[in-house]
Amino acid sequence: MRALGRHVLAEFYGCPFDVLNDIKRVEQTMVKAALEAGAEVREFVFHKFSPQGVSGVVVISESHLAIHTWPELGYAAVDVFTCGDKVDPWDACNYLVEKFRAEHMDAKEIHRGTDVLLPQVAVNI
C-alpha cells in the first residue's frame, strides 16, 4: 500500500552525556542527518534545558526531524518523518546512530496518510 509519508520513531540508548548535552553538536548532527538523507533543509530550532537536555526540530521540504535528549540517561528520542520517494528516513537514523555514538537503537516505521489514498465512501446517517 502506498503512503504519503514514512515516519521512523527511533530511540537511541547508550549515548555519551557530553554528546547529547551539547546543543551545537546536536543541532549540527541533526541538520547533517537531514542532508545525508537527501532532504532539503528549510529551517531549524533547538533549545538547551537546564540542568541538561536538548530539544529541537529540523524542518525539511519533505517534512521534519525532531529530537529530545536525556543526557543523564544516555537516551534520545528521535522522529524522522519524510514524504515522497526522494528521502529515506533510515539514512538519517543510521547517520544519527553513528554520530551520537549510540550503543543501541530501537526503531519502527509507520506509514502515514495511507487512508488518504484509499477511495472514500460516503455514509449517510
Side-chain angles (χ1 to χ4, degrees):
M1 178 180 298
R2 233 178 91 233
L4 291 177
R6 299 168 64 194
H7 196 162
V8 175
L9 306 173
E11 298 186 293
F12 296 85
Y13 299 96
C15 303
F17 180 95
D18 60 320
V19 171
L20 295 184
N21 203 43
D22 182 337
I23 187 171
K24 282 297 173 199
R25 186 171 186 169
V26 171
E27 178 182 291
Q28 291 170 354
T29 303
M30 291 291 288
V31 169
K32 183 75 171 163
L35 295 171
E36 288 287 322
E40 181 179 349
V41 174
R42 292 298 184 169
E43 57 188 294
F44 50 88
V45 63
F46 285 79
H47 177 79
K48 175 80 166 64
F49 293 95
S50 181
Q52 67 258 334
V54 175
S55 285
V57 64
V58 179
V59 178
I60 58 177
S61 294
E62 301 80 8
S63 195
H64 71 273
L65 288 77
I67 189 169
H68 188 77
T69 73
W70 285 263
E72 71 278 18
L73 302 175
Y75 172 78
V78 176
D79 291 357
V80 181
F81 184 12
T82 64
C83 299
D85 299 326
K86 179 182 142 193
V87 180
D88 186 341
W90 290 103
D91 290 342
C93 286
N94 291 330
Y95 178 84
L96 293 171
V97 166
E98 176 189 340
K99 296 304 179 183
F100 289 148
R101 300 190 344 236
E103 293 175 2
H104 179 71
M105 175 183 71
D106 283 334
K108 65 180 173 180
E109 181 175 326
I110 298 170
H111 290 203
R112 307 295 300 266
T114 53
D115 289 344
V116 174
L117 300 173
L118 297 175
Q120 299 298 311
V121 176
V123 177
N124 294 324
I125 299 176

